[in-house]
Amino acid sequence: MVSIYQLVKETLQIGCLSLETENKISKLFESSVTTEDIEALITLQDAVAFGYVDREAHKIIQNMKVKDLVAVGSK
């Protein structure tokens, strides 16, 4: 079984946190977490905060906001 640590390691290498990976991490976090997993999550949080890793969810939300602004502007 894949661990949170492994998912975070792959995400850091790719530079993008996909929705699929984010969901997997969330589900794994609910079942069992090791100290190594917690440390990996802190590293991932920092990487996202400092812009080293992009979140796919963030891009989707930004695109939705742009579409809403365009729709409001065209009325």
Side-chain angles (χ1 to χ4, degrees):
M1 180 162 81
V2 69
S3 70
I4 292 174
Y5 173 82
Q6 291 168 322
L7 290 171
V8 169
K9 183 177 176 183
E10 291 171 11
T11 299
L12 292 172
Q13 290 172 343
I14 295 168
C16 183
L17 177 58
S18 69
L19 286 172
E20 180 182 355
T21 301
E22 202 164 342
N23 288 332
K24 285 180 183 178
I25 289 171
S26 180
K27 286 181 182 178
L28 286 169
F29 191 79
E30 292 174 2
S31 60
S32 64
V33 182
T34 66
T35 303
E36 185 178 57
D37 292 333
I38 297 293
E39 290 173 358
L41 286 172
I42 292 168
T43 300
L44 178 59
Q45 183 179 15
D46 288 344
V48 170
F50 290 112
Y52 299 117
V53 171
D54 292 324
R55 284 184 66 217
E56 184 179 18
H58 179 73
K59 290 180 181 180
I60 291 170
I61 291 169
Q62 292 295 50
N63 287 339
M64 289 171 50
K65 287 180 181 177
V66 169
K67 287 179 184 177
D68 288 345
L69 288 174
V70 169
V72 168
S74 64
K75 289 183 180 182

